[in-house]
C-alpha cells in the first residue's frame, strides 16, 4: 500500500510528466532539423541538456525518489527512437554501405567481390546507392553476420527498413538490460541511462548504425549462460529466484550462447574482446559446448561468402593502419614525435595490457551460491573494457561510445556519463565538411572530449578523500 500511494503522489507524477516533456521536446527539435551537420552546436547543446536530465534522474533515483516500470521505459524509448525513423541519415553515411551490401546479397552476389565504384556506371537503384557510399573504391569491411542483417533490413524497405530493424534490436537490447538489472537486484531506473540517452537515439535511430545488433547478440549470449537467474518464462521485473536447472538444459544453453556470441563478433568485431569474460559464467561441462557453438555458427556464417570474403582483409588492414579520428592517445604520441605506425603499436600494446587486467577483474567462477556477485563483476569488467577502448583507439567515432554506454546502468559513474556525451564533440568536423566540403579536424577536440571525464574522476577522488577524512575526525 505504501508503494502504491507513493507512485500516485502528485509531485511524483508531475516530475515524470516534466521529464517526459523535456525528452520528447528535445528529441523532437532534433528530428525537425533539416540538416544536423549545419546545426552541430545546437545539437550538442540540446543533447547536453538531455544528458543532464538523465543525471538528475540518477540523483533522484539514489534518493529513492524515482521509480520506473519496464513498460514505461520501453514505451518512451520506442517513441523517442521512432521520431527519427524517417529522418534522413546525416551525421554518418555508413547506412548507404549497409544498403549497398544488402542489395548485393539479395541479388545473389557477394559484397566482398567488387567495390561500389564498379557499379557506378550501371543503370538502376544499385548505382544510385553506390554513388552515396563513402570510400567506394574499397570492398566492404563488415563481417558476414552483418551482411545478413543488411539484406534483411534492405528487404524490409531500404534505408527505412534498415533503421526499423536496428531500432527493434535496440528495444530488445533495452529489454535485456531490464532483465539483467532485475537479476542483480538493481533499481530499474538505471536502465534509462541507455534507453533515453541521446547517443543510441542519434547513432542507431537517426544514423542507422548496426551496433545495436552486435550488442543484443552479446547480451543474449550472456543471458543464456544464466538460466537459473534469468529463465525466459519470467517477467522483466519479477524478483530473482534461484532454482536447479537440468544438465542438458545447461549444455544446450552453452551451445546457443556460443552461437550467438559468434553472431555478435561477426556483426561488429569489437565484442571479441569480451569473449574471455564468458569463461567466468561457464559451469562444468559447458565450456566445450560453448566453443562448439561458436565454431559451428562461424562456419555457417562464413560459408556463403567464401572465398571472396578474404578481400575484406585488405580494407580492414587499411582501416587499422591509416585511419585516425579524435583519438587522444594517438594524437598525443604523434605530437611527441612518434610515427603513426609506432603510435598504433604502442596503443595496441597498452590496450592488450589493459585487457589482461580487466580479464582478472572477476575473481571467482560463476557458482550456484553467488551468481549475482559474479555477474555484476563481469558487467563492470565489460564497462572498463569499453572505457579503455575509447581511450586507446586511434579512431574515436561517436558511435563507438555505445560499447561503454550499454554497461553504464550497471556501473553508473559520472566520468562514464560525461564521456557518453562529450564523445559527440567529434561531430564538429561536420560543420566545415557540410559547408565547404573539407574534412578539417580540430586538434583541441580530443582533449575536450576527455577533459570532462577526467575532471569528474579527479573531483570524485577528492570528495572521497574529504569524506573519509571527515569520518575519521568524527570517529575520534
Amino acid at each position: 500500500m505504501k508503494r502504491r500511494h507513493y507512485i500516485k503522489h502528485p509531485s511524483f507524477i508531475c516530475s515524470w510528466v516534466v521529464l517526459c516533456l523535456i525528452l520528447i521536446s528535445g528529441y523532437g527539435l532534433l528530428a525537425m532539423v533539416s540538416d544536423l551537420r549545419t546545426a552541430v552546436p545546437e545539437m550538442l547543446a540540446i543533447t547536453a541538456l538531455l544528458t543532464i536530465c538523465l543525471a538528475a534522474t540518477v540523483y533522484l533515483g539514489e534518493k529513492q525518489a524515482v521509480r520506473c516500470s519496464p513498460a514505461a521505459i520501453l514505451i518512451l524509448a520506442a517513441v523517442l527512437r521512432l521520431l527519427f525513423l524517417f529522418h534522413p541519415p546525416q551525421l554518418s553515411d555508413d547506412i548507404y554501405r549497409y544498403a549497398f551490401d544488402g542489395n548485393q546479397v539479395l541479388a545473389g552476389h557477394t559484397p566482398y567481390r567488387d567495390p561500389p565504384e564498379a557499379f557506378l556506371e550501371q543503370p538502376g537503384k544499385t548505382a544510385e546507392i553506390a554513388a552515396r557510399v563513402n570510400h567506394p573504391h574499397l570492398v566492404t569491411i563488415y563481417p558476414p553476420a552483418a551482411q545478413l542483417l543488411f539484406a534483411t533490413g534492405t528487404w524490409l524497405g531500404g534505408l527505412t527498413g534498415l533503421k526499423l530493424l536496428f531500432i527493434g534490436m535496440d528495444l530488445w537490447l533495452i529489454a535485456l538490460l531490464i532483465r539483467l538489472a532485475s537479476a542483480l537486484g538493481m533499481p530499474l531506473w538505471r536502465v534509462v541511462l541507455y534507453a533515453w540517452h541521446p547517443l543510441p537515439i542519434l547513432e542507431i535511430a537517426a544514423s542507422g548504425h548496426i551496433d545495436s545488433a552486435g550488442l543484443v547478440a552479446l547480451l543474449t549470449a550472456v543471458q543464456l549462460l544464466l538460466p537459473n537467474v534469468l529463465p525466459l518464462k519470467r517477467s522483466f521485473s519479477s524478483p530473482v529466484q534461484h532454482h536447479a536447472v537440468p544438465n542438458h538444459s545447461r549444455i544446450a544453453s552453452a551451445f546457443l550462447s556460443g552461437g550467438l556470441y559468434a553472431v555478435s563478433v561477426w556483426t561488429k568485431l569489437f565484442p571479441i574482446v569480451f569473449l574471455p569474460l564468458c569463461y567466468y559464467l561457464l559451469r562444468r561441462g559447458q565450456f566445450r559446448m560453448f566453443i562448439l557453438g561458436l565454431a559451428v555458427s562461424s562456419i555457417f556464417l562464413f560459408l556463403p561468402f567464401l572465398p571472396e570474403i578474404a578481400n575484406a582483409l585488405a580494407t580492414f588492414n587499411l582501416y587499422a593502419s591509416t585511419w585516425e579520428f579524435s583519438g587522444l592517445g594517438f594524437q598525443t604520441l604523434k605530437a611527441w614525435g612518434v610515427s603513426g605506425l609506432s603510435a598504433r603499436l604502442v596503443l595496441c600494446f597498452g590496450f592488450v595490457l589493459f585487457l589482461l587486467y580487466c580479464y582478472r577483474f572477476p575473481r571467482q567462477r560463476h557458482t550456484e551460491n553467488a551468481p549475482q556477485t559474479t555477474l555484476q563483476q563481469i558487467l563492470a569488467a565489460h564497462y572498463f573494457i569499453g572505457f579503455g577502448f575509447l581511450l586507446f583507439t586511434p579512431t574515436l567515432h561517436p558511435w563507438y561510445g555505445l560499447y561503454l554506454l550499454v554497461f553504464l546502468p550497471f556501473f553508473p559513474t559520472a566520468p562514464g556519463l560525461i564521456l557518453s556525451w562529450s564523445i559527440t564533440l567529434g561531430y564538429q568536423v561536420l560543420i566545415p565538411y557540410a559547408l565547404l566540403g573539407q574534412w578539417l579536424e580540430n586538434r583541441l577536440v580530443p582533449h575536450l572530449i576527455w577533459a570532462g571525464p577526467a575532471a569528474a574522476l579527479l573531483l570524485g577522488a577528492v570528495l572521497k578523500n574529504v569524506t573519509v577524512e571527515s569520518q575519521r575526525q568524527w570517529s575520534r
Side-chain angles (χ1 to χ4, degrees):
M1 294 298 294
K2 183 178 180 181
R3 180 183 177 185
R4 187 177 303 173
H5 174 75
Y6 174 79
I7 292 177
K8 290 184 178 180
H9 195 277
S11 62
F12 177 84
I13 297 175
C14 181
S15 63
W16 275 114
V17 170
V18 171
L19 177 60
C20 291
L21 287 177
I22 292 176
L23 292 173
I24 294 175
S25 300
Y27 288 116
L29 287 173
L30 293 176
M32 290 188 294
V33 176
S34 59
D35 192 348
L36 287 173
R37 297 176 301 173
T38 59
V40 171
E42 293 84 353
M43 180 191 72
L44 292 175
I46 292 174
T47 54
L49 175 62
L50 297 174
T51 306
I52 292 173
C53 289
L54 294 179
T57 304
V58 173
Y59 175 78
L60 293 175
E62 293 293 342
K63 299 295 183 180
Q64 297 183 351
V66 172
R67 291 178 183 173
C68 299
S69 68
I73 295 174
L74 283 169
I75 291 173
L76 185 54
V79 170
L80 299 179
R81 282 158 174 76
L82 291 176
L83 290 173
F84 295 89
L85 179 60
F86 301 104
H87 194 276
Q90 296 163 347
L91 298 176
S92 170
D93 54 7
D94 287 355
I95 195 171
Y96 295 109
R97 170 73 75 166
Y98 301 171
F100 175 82
D101 289 358
N103 280 323
Q104 291 295 100
V105 174
L106 291 176
H109 306 305
T110 171
Y112 300 104
R113 184 174 57 190
D114 299 310
E117 68 176 6
F119 298 84
L120 293 176
E121 303 300 328
Q122 296 184 6
K125 186 177 180 180
T126 302
E128 296 177 5
I129 298 177
R132 292 177 172 266
V133 175
N134 58 39
H135 304 289
H137 61 288
L138 297 177
V139 172
T140 184
I141 195 176
Y142 295 100
Q147 300 299 333
L148 299 179
L149 291 169
F150 297 159
T152 302
T154 305
W155 177 80
L156 288 174
L159 300 184
T160 302
L162 284 165
K163 292 175 70 173
L164 185 62
L165 176 64
F166 299 148
I167 288 174
M169 290 188 166
D170 203 28
L171 295 175
W172 180 8
L173 178 61
I174 295 170
L176 290 176
L177 294 177
I178 293 173
R179 279 177 164 243
L180 288 173
S182 175
L184 292 169
M186 292 182 175
L188 297 185
W189 57 262
R190 289 187 180 181
V191 179
V192 306
L193 290 174
Y194 180 88
W196 303 344
H197 196 282
L199 192 63
I201 292 175
L202 289 177
E203 299 301 340
I204 296 173
S207 296
H209 282 116
I210 195 177
D211 300 82
S212 61
L215 287 170
V216 78
L218 170 66
L219 288 187
T220 304
V222 170
Q223 176 181 281
L224 286 171
L225 297 179
L226 304 167
N228 64 321
V229 177
L230 291 171
L232 297 178
K233 295 181 180 180
R234 283 183 47 231
S235 63
F236 287 131
S237 57
S238 59
V240 177
Q241 297 177 356
H242 305 287
H243 51 82
V245 178
N247 189 53
H248 68 274
S249 178
R250 291 180 179 179
I251 293 176
S253 296
F255 181 83
L256 292 175
S257 177
L260 278 173
Y261 219 110
V263 172
S264 175
V265 171
W266 302 125
T267 298
K268 289 296 289 278
L269 294 176
F270 179 71
I272 197 171
V273 300
F274 300 130
L275 183 58
L277 294 173
C278 277
Y279 172 77
Y280 295 97
L281 292 174
L282 294 170
R283 301 181 185 85
R284 183 176 301 175
Q286 286 188 315
F287 180 76
R288 293 181 180 178
M289 294 305 297
F290 180 87
I291 297 299
L292 181 61
L294 188 72
V296 170
S297 181
S298 299
I299 291 172
F300 275 95
L301 288 171
F302 272 77
L303 277 177
F305 301 102
L306 292 175
E308 291 87 353
I309 195 173
N311 296 332
L313 294 177
T315 305
F316 179 78
N317 180 63
L318 186 66
Y319 165 81
S321 60
T322 62
W323 288 8
E324 58 183 83
F325 179 72
S326 294
L328 177 61
F330 184 75
Q331 286 199 4
T332 302
L333 290 174
K334 289 190 68 176
W336 291 347
V338 181
S339 65
L341 179 59
S342 298
R344 293 174 192 277
L345 292 176
V346 169
L347 292 173
C348 182
F349 180 72
F351 186 52
V352 169
L353 292 179
F354 183 78
L355 286 177
L356 293 176
Y357 172 78
C358 291
Y359 292 157
R360 296 184 59 188
F361 192 84
R363 297 183 181 276
Q364 59 180 352
R365 288 290 302 273
H366 182 81
T367 64
E368 300 291 347
N369 298 325
Q372 291 170 304
T373 303
T374 307
L375 177 59
Q376 190 167 3
Q377 291 175 331
I378 290 173
L379 292 175
H382 280 72
Y383 169 84
F384 285 114
I385 289 175
F387 211 105
F389 169 67
L390 300 181
L391 180 61
F392 287 100
T393 179
T395 307
L396 184 59
H397 291 302
W399 55 91
Y400 290 0
L402 293 170
Y403 296 94
L404 168 73
L405 182 64
V406 72
F407 300 108
L408 187 61
F410 309 105
F411 203 80
T413 62
L417 183 60
I418 294 173
L419 181 59
S420 66
W421 171 81
S422 64
I423 196 173
T424 58
L425 292 173
Y427 277 131
Q428 62 81 30
V429 76
L430 295 180
I431 301 175
Y433 185 71
L435 298 177
L436 306 175
Q438 299 179 2
W439 189 268
L440 302 175
E441 296 186 36
N442 189 337
R443 294 186 177 181
L444 183 62
V445 168
H447 298 83
L448 294 176
I449 290 175
W450 289 95
L457 187 63
L458 179 61
L459 181 61
V462 171
L463 292 177
K464 183 178 179 180
N465 290 334
V466 170
T467 303
V468 171
E469 186 63 27
S470 299
Q471 290 176 349
R472 288 179 179 175
Q473 292 180 357
W474 278 104
S475 62
R476 293 176 183 176

